[in-house]
Amino acid sequence: LVTGVQTCALPIWIIQFGTRFDVSKKMLIVDDDPPILAFLAEIGKYCGYDVETTDSSFELVKRIVETRPDFIILDIVMPKFDGIEVLREMSAEEVEARIVLISGFDPDLLNRARSLARSWQLNVVDVMEKPLSKEVVITCIETAEQAPQIQTKWKEPGSDQ
């Protein structure tokens, strides 16, 4: 068991109706609030993801590069955690996952972080403000899955690659 990684039991609405897809996609959720981690993990599983959660920024980017999640939900404001710096490191590692930023603070902070991350060629597909609702999170994930994958690697001028 990795320190800071949590698992959660499936809620009754998932047990009754099952997941919506085959679990073959990976999701990483980063938040310092255990109930929010559990809530988002349940919804991620419902949407067909193999979900991993963490409440720690310790070696987060290294872990992202090693596990190569398809989808990342990242709380950008956590104790001892600079979400902007993590986004910068993710850009340096050319992380290609779809990213949703969340925060319970100023919505302008989320929008500025999204703009900055996109300027670094990260695939930030949406932002969500806390408090979160089940319907909003599911819609966000579904919409993000349909969004075109942005090109995250720089092309050389005149190259066809």
Side-chain angles (χ1 to χ4, degrees), residues 14 16 22 25-26 34 65 80 96 112 122 137 149:
I14 290 180
Q16 290 175 334
D22 292 329
K25 304 172 287 185
K26 294 186 278 187
V65 170
K80 300 180 185 178
E96 295 183 356
R112 288 191 304 266
L122 288 172
V137 175
Q149 184 79 18

Side-chain angles (χ1 to χ4, degrees), residues 26-33 35-57 60 63-64 67-78 81 83 86-87 90 95-104 110 123-130 132-134 136-145:
K26 294 186 278 187
M27 177 183 284
L28 176 63
I29 303 168
V30 184
D31 198 298
D32 59 318
D33 187 344
I36 290 177
L37 275 177
F39 171 74
L40 291 171
E42 291 166 355
I43 293 173
K45 289 176 184 177
Y46 170 76
C47 289
Y49 286 89
D50 178 18
V51 177
E52 193 173 325
T53 64
T54 184
D55 60 1
S56 170
S57 63
L60 178 61
R63 186 166 162 196
I64 290 169
T67 62
R68 301 184 58 83
D70 301 293
F71 203 105
I72 299 168
I73 299 177
L74 175 66
D75 185 353
I76 61 169
V77 179
M78 293 176 34
F81 179 86
V86 169
L87 292 170
M90 289 170 59
V95 171
E96 295 183 356
R98 284 175 161 75
I99 302 166
V100 172
L101 303 176
I102 62 173
S103 179
L110 278 171
N123 194 18
V124 176
V125 293
D126 209 346
V127 297
M128 291 189 293
E129 295 176 48
K130 296 178 184 176
L132 304 167
S133 74
K134 175 179 69 172
V136 167
V137 175
I138 290 172
T139 300
C140 177
I141 292 170
E142 289 173 343
T143 302
E145 288 175 337

